[in-house]
Each structure stands twice: as structure tokens, then as C-alpha cells.
Amino acid sequence: SQQGEEDPQALSIQEGENATMNCSYKTSINNLQWYRQNSGRGLVHLILIRSNEREKHSGRLRVTLDTSKKSSSLLITASRAADTASYFCATVSNSGNTPLVFGKGTRLSVIA
Amino acid sequence: DAGITQSPRHKVTETGTPVTLRCHQTENHRYMYWYRQDPGHGLRLIHYSYGVKDTDKGEVSDGYSVSRSKTEDFLLTLESATSSQTSVYFCATSRGIGANEKLFFGSGTQLSVL
């Protein structure tokens, strides 16, 4: 079963706009990761945010984590056509050494 | 894709036939995983390996078996393929396991079972 659920399922924006995707999860976590998947390719790791961090930046990416609400958001600023992809959050369902569990993803389309 | 090669990239087979997918890594990562990706379900873990000859089941392991005889190779076998196993299969690797470890993915195998 999915630990994380992304919202919205699909998002379409104009180039230059900001894109925000949300992830809600069910149980307490240590860290949360975000991945990107371009069409026909495997997933690529974007960023990891630790449970004691509220916000983290990497280039045009901004990730927030609210452990009280069990949610995270991924913001892509000044989006480009090349940002068109699916985005997934991933975490583990407990504090142990278990594999990552992925959400169903958000499909982002950036229109030039 | 970080030295992870999946073969074949595409396969069409018939119901009831055995199918083996191969994942080869050059990263010397201890952990290897097989996920399947389906519309509406995202990625779901089939099996994973934490070392040579050490494997464990994931969320959707029924109908699948795995083997890891060398650090670099992880095989996924469908003993008798069914149409419900039509999917895109991804192999992934990581140095360690858990929420701190990032995964590196192969490019996927598109499997169609007719």
C-alpha cells in the first residue's frame, strides 16, 4: 500500500509559472524524498528532507515538510518545458530499515 | 541512469510462459530492488535483495521470484506469466536501506503478456 499520496494527480501550467505538488503520508517518518520521472525513463532522485527540517532548497526546487500534518510539498519555481515529468514522494512506513514506498505521483505538464 | 542496465527493454510474451528480466549494476551497491509501475498504482515493490543470495518479499510478490548470485546482477522471474503482470518493471539500487538512502533506477522493461 502507498505510504505517500500525491496531490494533484495531474497539473498543467504555463512556462514561467510555479508548480506546487503535495504529498500526504500515513505514519510517522524519518525522512522524505522526492523523485522525478521523465516519460519512458526511470526515476531520478531530486531531494531528501529530514524530519527535523521544515524547508529545503535545491536550485529551483523548494521542499517543505510538516510532520504535524504528515505532509510535504514540492515547489518548482519559474517552470520550464523540461520540467514536464511525473513527480513522486517516497518514504518508509516505519522507522526501520525497510525499502522506500512511493506514492502514485503527480503528472506535471509545462506548456511553452 | 547511474550504471544500471535492464534487459530486455521491451518484451512481448504469451500467458503461461516463463519470463526472466535482468538487472545489471556497476555501482557495487548492496541493495537491489524490483518495482512494477502501473497506471493508478504508482510504483509497487515486488522483491528486493540485501546481498548475494539474500532476498525478501515486497508488497506484490505473488507470481514472482528473484535471484541474486552476484552483487551486480538481480534477476526477476515470472514463473508463468499472466495478463495481470503486463506492466513496466523497474530495477533500482542503493548503498543502504531506509529513509536516508536514495535509489538509483534503471530505464525500465516494458512487458506485455498476451
Side-chain angles (χ1 to χ4, degrees):
Chain A
S1 61
Q2 263 73 27
Q3 160 72 325
E5 291 286 343
E6 292 88 347
D7 171 64
Q9 291 186 0
L11 178 63
S12 183
I13 61 173
Q14 297 289 324
E15 202 167 33
E17 294 180 338
N18 296 341
T20 300
M21 290 155 274
N22 303 297
C23 169
S24 59
Y25 53 91
K26 299 173 185 175
T27 63
S28 297
I29 61 169
N30 287 332
N31 306 317
L32 186 140
Q33 302 183 31
W34 284 91
Y35 288 77
R36 181 187 72 216
Q37 182 182 32
N38 291 95
S39 180
R41 304 298 298 274
L43 278 71
V44 175
H45 179 267
L46 289 176
I47 194 166
L48 180 153
I49 185 166
R50 302 189 185 283
S51 57
N52 60 356
E53 296 177 311
R54 295 188 62 83
E55 187 171 312
K56 193 167 183 178
H57 296 255
S58 177
R60 293 183 296 111
L61 304 181
R62 173 181 167 243
V63 171
T64 64
L65 181 63
D66 187 335
T67 54
S68 67
K69 295 181 179 179
K70 292 187 170 59
S71 68
S72 174
S73 67
L74 171 67
L75 168 68
I76 304 174
T77 60
S79 63
R80 306 165 181 168
D83 295 326
T84 294
S86 292
Y87 292 84
F88 297 84
C89 65
T91 186
V92 297
S93 58
N94 55 46
S95 59
N97 292 328
T98 55
L100 283 176
V101 178
F102 289 83
K104 297 179 182 180
T106 292
R107 289 194 315 278
L108 173 66
S109 297
V110 181
I111 302 167
Chain B
D1 288 321
I4 300 166
T5 305
Q6 291 185 232
S7 59
R9 289 297 313 278
H10 304 273
K11 186 167 181 68
V12 180
T13 191
E14 294 184 349
T15 299
T17 60
V19 176
T20 295
L21 308 182
R22 180 176 181 251
C23 178
H24 178 79
Q25 59 138 335
T26 58
E27 304 297 313
N28 200 33
H29 286 171
R30 177 181 174 187
Y31 291 84
M32 298 186 75
Y33 312 82
W34 279 107
Y35 288 88
R36 60 178 288 175
Q37 184 174 33
D38 304 286
H41 291 279
L43 273 81
R44 293 179 292 174
L45 181 67
I46 304 171
H47 283 280
Y48 70 101
S49 169
Y50 47 96
V52 173
K53 297 184 179 177
D54 292 323
T55 65
D56 204 351
K57 295 179 179 180
E59 177 189 357
V60 290
S61 59
D62 287 348
Y64 301 95
S65 62
V66 290
S67 66
R68 191 167 178 201
S69 59
K70 297 186 291 184
T71 298
E72 56 267 34
D73 291 327
F74 193 32
L75 304 181
L76 176 70
T77 297
L78 290 65
E79 302 291 346
S80 177
T82 68
S83 58
S84 65
Q85 293 175 313
T86 291
S87 186
V88 181
Y89 292 85
F90 287 98
C91 174
T93 71
S94 65
R95 294 185 186 87
I97 194 168
N100 280 331
E101 299 294 332
K102 64 180 182 180
L103 269 60
F104 298 85
F105 282 80
S107 296
T109 294
Q110 172 71 60
L111 176 67
S112 298
V113 183
L114 305 179

